[in-house]
Amino acid sequence: MDVKTRLPELAQARYGLELSQCSDSQLYHCLLQLTQELASARPAPSGDRKLYYFSAEFLIGKLLSNNLLALGIYDEVNAILTECGRALSAIEDVEPEPSLGNGGLGRLAACFLDSIAALGLNGDGVGLNYHYGLFEQKFQHNKQTERPNPWIEDESWLIPTGVEFEVPFGFGPVKAKLFDIAVPGAHTATAGRLHLFDVEAPAPAPQEGIDFNKSDLPARLTSFLYPDDSNEAGRLLRVYQQYFMVSAGAQLVLKELEERGCALNTLSDHVVIQINDTHPSMVIPELVRLLTGRGLSMDEAVEQVSKTCAYTNHTILAEALEKWPLSFIEKAAPQLTPILRELDRRAKAAHTDPKVAVIQGEEGKEIVHMAHLDIHYSRSVNGVAALHTEILKNSELKPFYDIYPAKFNNKTNGVTLRRWLEVCNPQLASLLDECVGRGWRRDPDQLNKLMEFAGDSAVLDRMLAIKAEKKRELADVFAREQGITLDPESVFDIQVKRLHEYKRQQMNALYVIHKYLEIKGGKTPQRPVTVLFGAKAAPAYVMAKHIIHLILCLRKLIESDPQARPWLHVAMVENYNVTWAERVIPACDISEQISLASKEASGTGNMKFMANGAVTLGTLDGANVEIAELVGPDNIYTFGAKSDEVIRMYAGEGEKKGADGRSYLPLDHYHRPAVERLVDFLVSPELLGVGDPAALATLWRDMKNKDWFMAMLDVEDYIAARDRAIADYGDRTAWAKKMLVNTAKSGYFSSDRTIAQYDRDIWQLK
Ligand code: 26W
């Protein structure tokens, strides 16, 4: 198909207009149709084995630019639009962003689909079609409020397939309808698919906020991602959602297996199911149920399923390791109970250690450990960064590692440089083309060749000029869309990620307080700094919401202070999402990756920032460790306690022990004068004057007395490291060199590399 003729043809056929007469919305819809035509004409990759990537989240972001790039028509379309005096970026503004994920885990799944397609691997995603996504965030009175994000329009990327399955819930059968999103592969002529299941009659958006009747089933099954699970009805709904996804998904797997003419007892020869965290874990008993129902013996079914499934762990946070009351599963899908009991019986017969049981607790109060189920009945268990996998093996999952050492492996995360460099930073991408040739687009390791330019002042100046341009672009959208003025001449110091206490946005806020107090005390900073945040808090996570409130109050206080305003700016992106990430990340000077060591499994934002020439300020946690190894100590700022020290403190090792079992005593840290001033500022008259006193006081008490993620432990070291980074920023040539090294070393963090490793070690698709 020739784009030059087809695009005007579509404009004529749809609207009776020339391209140049079309509105942005009309152009968007022409391009949507064109892209869909090209993508759906592509065949699936060949291969006898097929991967199904099961995930409750696929944070795919807007698709137009990415799909144009993958189809190889990005430049051509851009040229046609420029000829008509139009810009692709304006047209893409029309596209609604699907919010089918929380953060890293969902975005990783999206990067993986992109790389699976680009490598021409035979693999599809399986998930749910949430109509109102996660939620849309609004700030009101310096607090987060939530509302639905209805992203599905009459014309969208969703392709109805006509495929339907019946999911047998305890209350009766529900029809699951399959919609597909095509995933064209860059550098190939094939396309994969994202399979999203939906109910037949989805419920409309709630009238106000995101509250709704959790027992309105099946209509509410696909309303929201992770509905508020602070109460029992919400938690039960999640079990219903998960079973809906995996039962329909398992039926799809078996249908395609049969269509390929393969016998059920050869499932594991032809299929791999990657279980993305524990949310899809019920696929294990569901497949056993379906296979035994179709004639396999229990032994055969268990063997096939165990050889088909592989499990990825994304967290060591206890509260995120799913454990469901057996009674929930009994209610949602009673037919799974006998299978789960049998799987538990087999595990207990083989391994007497009660810590590795699938079902724990006394009768009537039994709990199913989803991760335990995954580990016993999968052929691979992987962590998502080197440090994380070591922690899984040596502490969190040690009893399992002792049983199954060969199952454990590491797959350090990666990100697709197509979205996170080529599309979001075309200026930097073309500088890279000039320096190292275009080969890095297929083989990201070639970015290493950029190291040869570390002493080339012309290249370093170009890096700085591009960064300055991206900062101006960001300031422009901020002004346009959020009515906030940013000073592009200031240092852009950025922390964007889910809001969670372990990620320690509150420690970043303590730094802001430190700077503010310094300025008020007459000490002028080295240069103006903009501290930019972007984060959504889970709707029921009270402390996370209080931290957002603190940040917004600090902004208000500082903006209205003429003494502080020239030097310090605090801003928070409203409704941070993939679209914002694509604007914010290329504009960053200092990338904040400050989680409490051992708690961030990997991080993937850190990789995107690095590729775009930001310098990391971080703890030795997750993939920061690997970033630090690659760039060397001159090109990263690390600080804070190491993961083994932190793990020992949680285990209560050391001289003193607190009531909560840790050998970290918050008050000891609080009473250091430099720390106490900062923490007490939360309840200072200045801040109480702009904020909600109850929220600020709750946060203050929590930080002072609990500080579960030890912000007060690292804060002084953090302040010192951050001030050092901001001082170093002044030597522009030295800083540009750091930027260059970061970009040059980022090829390792391409998800193409990660996926090639999954394929080599786990999937063996080719
Ligand atoms: C309660 C269920 C639950 C718990 C946690 C649902 C969802 C989550 C998170 C949103 C999971 C998540 O995003 N984990 C992140 O996964 C990334 C990809 O591997 C890692 O880079 C991050 O470190 C990890 O936090």
Side-chain angles (χ1 to χ4, degrees), residues 57 102-106 108 226 229 238 277 279 314 319-320 322 384 413 498 502-503 600-604:
E57 304 187 18
N102 265 293
L105 169 136
L108 184 78
Y226 297 136
D229 66 354
R238 283 199 25 193
D277 222 290
H279 322 138
H314 294 265
E319 71 266 25
E322 290 185 303
V384 289
N413 282 166
R498 280 186 292 129
Y502 85 78
K503 297 179 183 281
E600 187 71 273
S602 161
T604 44

Side-chain angles (χ1 to χ4, degrees), residues 450-479:
L450 191 61
M451 292 300 285
E452 291 162 26
F453 297 84
D456 184 328
S457 59
V459 171
L460 295 176
D461 285 347
R462 293 271 300 280
M463 299 266 324
L464 291 174
I466 290 167
K467 185 62 77 181
E469 186 181 344
K470 299 313 275 186
K471 287 165 76 171
R472 283 194 302 273
E473 285 179 12
L474 179 63
D476 287 347
V477 253
F478 244 87

Side-chain angles (χ1 to χ4, degrees), residues 311-329:
Y311 160 63
T312 304
N313 176 287
H314 294 265
T315 185
I316 62 156
L317 291 186
E319 71 266 25
L321 282 174
E322 290 185 303
K323 302 177 206 59
W324 294 121
L326 186 60
S327 62
F328 280 23
I329 298 177

Side-chain angles (χ1 to χ4, degrees), residues 105-132:
L105 169 136
R107 184 53 234 175
L108 184 78
C111 284
F112 279 8
L113 288 185
D114 185 85
S115 288
I116 289 164
L119 298 184
L121 296 175
N122 189 19
D124 290 345
V126 176
L128 289 178
N129 191 31
Y130 310 100
H131 286 246
Y132 312 111

